PDB file of all heavy atoms in Angstrom:
ATOM      1  N   ALA A   1     157.653 212.335  50.679  1.00  0.00           N
ATOM      2  CA  ALA A   1     157.156 212.236  49.318  1.00  0.00           C
ATOM      3  C   ALA A   1     156.884 210.793  48.920  1.00  0.00           C
ATOM      4  O   ALA A   1     155.998 210.521  48.116  1.00  0.00           O
ATOM      5  CB  ALA A   1     158.139 212.877  48.347  1.00  0.00           C
ATOM      6  N   LYS A   2     157.655 209.876  49.476  1.00  0.00           N
ATOM      7  CA  LYS A   2     157.509 208.459  49.148  1.00  0.00           C
ATOM      8  C   LYS A   2     156.774 207.672  50.221  1.00  0.00           C
ATOM      9  O   LYS A   2     156.590 206.462  50.066  1.00  0.00           O
ATOM     10  CB  LYS A   2     158.883 207.842  48.912  1.00  0.00           C
ATOM     11  CG  LYS A   2     159.648 208.455  47.754  1.00  0.00           C
ATOM     12  CD  LYS A   2     161.002 207.787  47.568  1.00  0.00           C
ATOM     13  CE  LYS A   2     161.759 208.382  46.401  1.00  0.00           C
ATOM     14  NZ  LYS A   2     163.085 207.741  46.217  1.00  0.00           N
ATOM     15  N   ASN A   3     156.372 208.341  51.297  1.00  0.00           N
ATOM     16  CA  ASN A   3     155.730 207.656  52.428  1.00  0.00           C
ATOM     17  C   ASN A   3     156.538 206.449  52.876  1.00  0.00           C
ATOM     18  O   ASN A   3     156.007 205.339  53.014  1.00  0.00           O
ATOM     19  CB  ASN A   3     154.302 207.251  52.076  1.00  0.00           C
ATOM     20  CG  ASN A   3     153.353 208.430  52.035  1.00  0.00           C
ATOM     21  OD1 ASN A   3     153.507 209.393  52.784  1.00  0.00           O
ATOM     22  ND2 ASN A   3     152.359 208.363  51.163  1.00  0.00           N
ATOM     23  N   SER A   4     157.818 206.666  53.097  1.00  0.00           N
ATOM     24  CA  SER A   4     158.701 205.588  53.473  1.00  0.00           C
ATOM     25  C   SER A   4     159.503 205.959  54.713  1.00  0.00           C
ATOM     26  O   SER A   4     159.682 207.131  55.036  1.00  0.00           O
ATOM     27  CB  SER A   4     159.654 205.229  52.329  1.00  0.00           C
ATOM     28  OG  SER A   4     160.509 206.316  52.021  1.00  0.00           O
ATOM     29  N   ALA A   5     159.979 204.939  55.400  1.00  0.00           N
ATOM     30  CA  ALA A   5     160.848 205.097  56.556  1.00  0.00           C
ATOM     31  C   ALA A   5     162.024 204.153  56.401  1.00  0.00           C
ATOM     32  O   ALA A   5     161.840 202.971  56.107  1.00  0.00           O
ATOM     33  CB  ALA A   5     160.100 204.817  57.855  1.00  0.00           C
ATOM     34  N   VAL A   6     163.223 204.672  56.611  1.00  0.00           N
ATOM     35  CA  VAL A   6     164.440 203.896  56.433  1.00  0.00           C
ATOM     36  C   VAL A   6     165.167 203.804  57.766  1.00  0.00           C
ATOM     37  O   VAL A   6     165.452 204.820  58.399  1.00  0.00           O
ATOM     38  CB  VAL A   6     165.361 204.523  55.371  1.00  0.00           C
ATOM     39  CG1 VAL A   6     166.659 203.740  55.265  1.00  0.00           C
ATOM     40  CG2 VAL A   6     164.649 204.571  54.027  1.00  0.00           C
ATOM     41  N   LEU A   7     165.456 202.589  58.174  1.00  0.00           N
ATOM     42  CA  LEU A   7     166.213 202.339  59.390  1.00  0.00           C
ATOM     43  C   LEU A   7     167.601 201.862  58.993  1.00  0.00           C
ATOM     44  O   LEU A   7     167.759 200.750  58.482  1.00  0.00           O
ATOM     45  CB  LEU A   7     165.516 201.294  60.263  1.00  0.00           C
ATOM     46  CG  LEU A   7     166.182 200.991  61.603  1.00  0.00           C
ATOM     47  CD1 LEU A   7     166.084 202.200  62.532  1.00  0.00           C
ATOM     48  CD2 LEU A   7     165.544 199.770  62.259  1.00  0.00           C
ATOM     49  N   GLU A   8     168.592 202.716  59.210  1.00  0.00           N
ATOM     50  CA  GLU A   8     169.973 202.365  58.923  1.00  0.00           C
ATOM     51  C   GLU A   8     170.614 201.847  60.199  1.00  0.00           C
ATOM     52  O   GLU A   8     170.681 202.566  61.193  1.00  0.00           O
ATOM     53  CB  GLU A   8     170.721 203.576  58.379  1.00  0.00           C
ATOM     54  CG  GLU A   8     170.181 204.068  57.049  1.00  0.00           C
ATOM     55  CD  GLU A   8     170.959 205.243  56.503  1.00  0.00           C
ATOM     56  OE1 GLU A   8     171.960 205.024  55.781  1.00  0.00           O
ATOM     57  OE2 GLU A   8     170.568 206.397  56.811  1.00  0.00           O
ATOM     58  N   MET A   9     171.066 200.611  60.148  1.00  0.00           N
ATOM     59  CA  MET A   9     171.617 199.943  61.312  1.00  0.00           C
ATOM     60  C   MET A   9     173.097 199.667  61.087  1.00  0.00           C
ATOM     61  O   MET A   9     173.482 199.126  60.051  1.00  0.00           O
ATOM     62  CB  MET A   9     170.877 198.635  61.588  1.00  0.00           C
ATOM     63  CG  MET A   9     169.368 198.799  61.741  1.00  0.00           C
ATOM     64  SD  MET A   9     168.546 197.277  62.275  1.00  0.00           S
ATOM     65  CE  MET A   9     168.831 196.248  60.831  1.00  0.00           C
ATOM     66  N   SER A  10     173.899 200.016  62.062  1.00  0.00           N
ATOM     67  CA  SER A  10     175.328 199.754  62.014  1.00  0.00           C
ATOM     68  C   SER A  10     175.749 199.082  63.314  1.00  0.00           C
ATOM     69  O   SER A  10     174.986 199.013  64.271  1.00  0.00           O
ATOM     70  CB  SER A  10     176.113 201.045  61.785  1.00  0.00           C
ATOM     71  OG  SER A  10     175.904 201.960  62.841  1.00  0.00           O
ATOM     72  N   SER A  11     176.985 198.598  63.324  1.00  0.00           N
ATOM     73  CA  SER A  11     177.530 197.920  64.505  1.00  0.00           C
ATOM     74  C   SER A  11     176.585 196.852  65.023  1.00  0.00           C
ATOM     75  O   SER A  11     176.333 196.738  66.227  1.00  0.00           O
ATOM     76  CB  SER A  11     177.847 198.936  65.600  1.00  0.00           C
ATOM     77  OG  SER A  11     178.769 199.908  65.157  1.00  0.00           O
ATOM     78  N   LEU A  12     176.067 196.060  64.121  1.00  0.00           N
ATOM     79  CA  LEU A  12     175.075 195.057  64.494  1.00  0.00           C
ATOM     80  C   LEU A  12     175.684 193.979  65.382  1.00  0.00           C
ATOM     81  O   LEU A  12     176.853 193.616  65.227  1.00  0.00           O
ATOM     82  CB  LEU A  12     174.465 194.431  63.251  1.00  0.00           C
ATOM     83  CG  LEU A  12     173.462 195.335  62.521  1.00  0.00           C
ATOM     84  CD1 LEU A  12     173.182 194.816  61.125  1.00  0.00           C
ATOM     85  CD2 LEU A  12     172.168 195.440  63.326  1.00  0.00           C
ATOM     86  N   ARG A  13     174.872 193.496  66.293  1.00  0.00           N
ATOM     87  CA  ARG A  13     175.263 192.483  67.251  1.00  0.00           C
ATOM     88  C   ARG A  13     174.399 191.247  67.088  1.00  0.00           C
ATOM     89  O   ARG A  13     173.286 191.335  66.585  1.00  0.00           O
ATOM     90  CB  ARG A  13     175.101 193.022  68.680  1.00  0.00           C
ATOM     91  CG  ARG A  13     175.804 194.334  68.942  1.00  0.00           C
ATOM     92  CD  ARG A  13     175.246 195.006  70.184  1.00  0.00           C
ATOM     93  NE  ARG A  13     175.906 196.266  70.472  1.00  0.00           N
ATOM     94  CZ  ARG A  13     175.443 197.186  71.314  1.00  0.00           C
ATOM     95  NH1 ARG A  13     174.301 196.972  71.969  1.00  0.00           N
ATOM     96  NH2 ARG A  13     176.118 198.306  71.510  1.00  0.00           N
ATOM     97  N   PRO A  14     174.884 190.088  67.521  1.00  0.00           N
ATOM     98  CA  PRO A  14     174.048 188.888  67.442  1.00  0.00           C
ATOM     99  C   PRO A  14     172.700 189.052  68.131  1.00  0.00           C
ATOM    100  O   PRO A  14     171.706 188.485  67.661  1.00  0.00           O
ATOM    101  CB  PRO A  14     174.904 187.819  68.127  1.00  0.00           C
ATOM    102  CG  PRO A  14     176.301 188.262  67.866  1.00  0.00           C
ATOM    103  CD  PRO A  14     176.262 189.766  67.935  1.00  0.00           C
ATOM    104  N   GLU A  15     172.642 189.815  69.205  1.00  0.00           N
ATOM    105  CA  GLU A  15     171.380 190.019  69.903  1.00  0.00           C
ATOM    106  C   GLU A  15     170.399 190.896  69.127  1.00  0.00           C
ATOM    107  O   GLU A  15     169.243 191.031  69.530  1.00  0.00           O
ATOM    108  CB  GLU A  15     171.612 190.610  71.299  1.00  0.00           C
ATOM    109  CG  GLU A  15     172.469 191.857  71.312  1.00  0.00           C
ATOM    110  CD  GLU A  15     173.929 191.568  71.621  1.00  0.00           C
ATOM    111  OE1 GLU A  15     174.468 190.572  71.101  1.00  0.00           O
ATOM    112  OE2 GLU A  15     174.529 192.343  72.394  1.00  0.00           O
ATOM    113  N   ASP A  16     170.838 191.484  68.018  1.00  0.00           N
ATOM    114  CA  ASP A  16     169.935 192.201  67.136  1.00  0.00           C
ATOM    115  C   ASP A  16     169.162 191.264  66.216  1.00  0.00           C
ATOM    116  O   ASP A  16     168.277 191.715  65.487  1.00  0.00           O
ATOM    117  CB  ASP A  16     170.698 193.221  66.285  1.00  0.00           C
ATOM    118  CG  ASP A  16     171.301 194.349  67.110  1.00  0.00           C
ATOM    119  OD1 ASP A  16     170.625 194.831  68.042  1.00  0.00           O
ATOM    120  OD2 ASP A  16     172.443 194.755  66.811  1.00  0.00           O
ATOM    121  N   THR A  17     169.497 189.993  66.220  1.00  0.00           N
ATOM    122  CA  THR A  17     168.816 189.018  65.378  1.00  0.00           C
ATOM    123  C   THR A  17     167.341 188.939  65.750  1.00  0.00           C
ATOM    124  O   THR A  17     166.991 188.692  66.901  1.00  0.00           O
ATOM    125  CB  THR A  17     169.468 187.642  65.513  1.00  0.00           C
ATOM    126  OG1 THR A  17     170.813 187.699  65.019  1.00  0.00           O
ATOM    127  CG2 THR A  17     168.693 186.594  64.723  1.00  0.00           C
ATOM    128  N   ALA A  18     166.478 189.154  64.770  1.00  0.00           N
ATOM    129  CA  ALA A  18     165.037 189.166  65.003  1.00  0.00           C
ATOM    130  C   ALA A  18     164.328 189.389  63.679  1.00  0.00           C
ATOM    131  O   ALA A  18     164.954 189.712  62.667  1.00  0.00           O
ATOM    132  CB  ALA A  18     164.642 190.271  65.991  1.00  0.00           C
ATOM    133  N   VAL A  19     163.017 189.223  63.706  1.00  0.00           N
ATOM    134  CA  VAL A  19     162.177 189.696  62.617  1.00  0.00           C
ATOM    135  C   VAL A  19     161.840 191.149  62.908  1.00  0.00           C
ATOM    136  O   VAL A  19     161.347 191.470  63.995  1.00  0.00           O
ATOM    137  CB  VAL A  19     160.898 188.859  62.467  1.00  0.00           C
ATOM    138  CG1 VAL A  19     160.012 189.431  61.364  1.00  0.00           C
ATOM    139  CG2 VAL A  19     161.242 187.411  62.160  1.00  0.00           C
ATOM    140  N   TYR A  20     162.094 192.004  61.954  1.00  0.00           N
ATOM    141  CA  TYR A  20     161.846 193.426  62.117  1.00  0.00           C
ATOM    142  C   TYR A  20     160.573 193.812  61.382  1.00  0.00           C
ATOM    143  O   TYR A  20     160.395 193.485  60.204  1.00  0.00           O
ATOM    144  CB  TYR A  20     163.026 194.240  61.591  1.00  0.00           C
ATOM    145  CG  TYR A  20     164.205 194.240  62.538  1.00  0.00           C
ATOM    146  CD1 TYR A  20     164.952 193.090  62.741  1.00  0.00           C
ATOM    147  CD2 TYR A  20     164.551 195.393  63.239  1.00  0.00           C
ATOM    148  CE1 TYR A  20     166.017 193.077  63.623  1.00  0.00           C
ATOM    149  CE2 TYR A  20     165.618 195.395  64.115  1.00  0.00           C
ATOM    150  CZ  TYR A  20     166.348 194.232  64.309  1.00  0.00           C
ATOM    151  OH  TYR A  20     167.408 194.232  65.182  1.00  0.00           O
ATOM    152  N   TYR A  21     159.693 194.520  62.085  1.00  0.00           N
ATOM    153  CA  TYR A  21     158.395 194.899  61.558  1.00  0.00           C
ATOM    154  C   TYR A  21     158.266 196.407  61.466  1.00  0.00           C
ATOM    155  O   TYR A  21     158.645 197.128  62.390  1.00  0.00           O
ATOM    156  CB  TYR A  21     157.265 194.387  62.457  1.00  0.00           C
ATOM    157  CG  TYR A  21     157.168 192.890  62.575  1.00  0.00           C
ATOM    158  CD1 TYR A  21     157.848 192.209  63.573  1.00  0.00           C
ATOM    159  CD2 TYR A  21     156.380 192.160  61.694  1.00  0.00           C
ATOM    160  CE1 TYR A  21     157.757 190.837  63.689  1.00  0.00           C
ATOM    161  CE2 TYR A  21     156.281 190.790  61.810  1.00  0.00           C
ATOM    162  CZ  TYR A  21     156.973 190.131  62.808  1.00  0.00           C
ATOM    163  OH  TYR A  21     156.869 188.768  62.922  1.00  0.00           O
ATOM    164  N   CYS A  22     157.713 196.865  60.375  1.00  0.00           N
ATOM    165  CA  CYS A  22     157.342 198.259  60.233  1.00  0.00           C
ATOM    166  C   CYS A  22     155.904 198.445  60.703  1.00  0.00           C
ATOM    167  O   CYS A  22     155.055 197.569  60.501  1.00  0.00           O
ATOM    168  CB  CYS A  22     157.480 198.699  58.775  1.00  0.00           C
ATOM    169  SG  CYS A  22     157.043 200.418  58.457  1.00  0.00           S
ATOM    170  N   ALA A  23     155.624 199.576  61.335  1.00  0.00           N
ATOM    171  CA  ALA A  23     154.293 199.857  61.837  1.00  0.00           C
ATOM    172  C   ALA A  23     153.944 201.325  61.630  1.00  0.00           C
ATOM    173  O   ALA A  23     154.826 202.182  61.547  1.00  0.00           O
ATOM    174  CB  ALA A  23     154.186 199.506  63.322  1.00  0.00           C
ATOM    175  N   VAL A  24     152.648 201.608  61.568  1.00  0.00           N
ATOM    176  CA  VAL A  24     152.139 202.965  61.397  1.00  0.00           C
ATOM    177  C   VAL A  24     151.024 203.210  62.402  1.00  0.00           C
ATOM    178  O   VAL A  24     150.214 202.323  62.669  1.00  0.00           O
ATOM    179  CB  VAL A  24     151.629 203.199  59.959  1.00  0.00           C
ATOM    180  CG1 VAL A  24     150.863 204.517  59.867  1.00  0.00           C
ATOM    181  CG2 VAL A  24     152.790 203.205  58.973  1.00  0.00           C
ATOM    182  N   ARG A  25     150.988 204.411  62.936  1.00  0.00           N
ATOM    183  CA  ARG A  25     149.920 204.824  63.829  1.00  0.00           C
ATOM    184  C   ARG A  25     149.586 206.278  63.574  1.00  0.00           C
ATOM    185  O   ARG A  25     150.349 207.002  62.914  1.00  0.00           O
ATOM    186  CB  ARG A  25     150.313 204.630  65.295  1.00  0.00           C
ATOM    187  CG  ARG A  25     151.539 205.422  65.712  1.00  0.00           C
ATOM    188  CD  ARG A  25     151.725 205.441  67.219  1.00  0.00           C
ATOM    189  NE  ARG A  25     150.731 206.283  67.868  1.00  0.00           N
ATOM    190  CZ  ARG A  25     150.604 206.433  69.185  1.00  0.00           C
ATOM    191  NH1 ARG A  25     151.417 205.763  69.990  1.00  0.00           N
ATOM    192  NH2 ARG A  25     149.681 207.222  69.684  1.00  0.00           N
TER     193      ARG A  25
END
């Protein structure tokens, strides 16, 4: 209904450090 996507991240690690991009196809 909102045309949205939610990424819930837990147990984050230093190697998860990055710029996160949303994409559509």
Side-chain angles (χ1 to χ4, degrees):
K2 298 180 179 180
N3 287 327
S4 63
V6 177
L7 183 68
E8 296 182 88
M9 305 187 294
S10 62
S11 302
L12 285 165
R13 307 162 180 165
E15 52 263 41
D16 294 319
T17 296
V19 177
Y20 283 70
Y21 297 90
C22 180
V24 169
R25 60 168 288 176

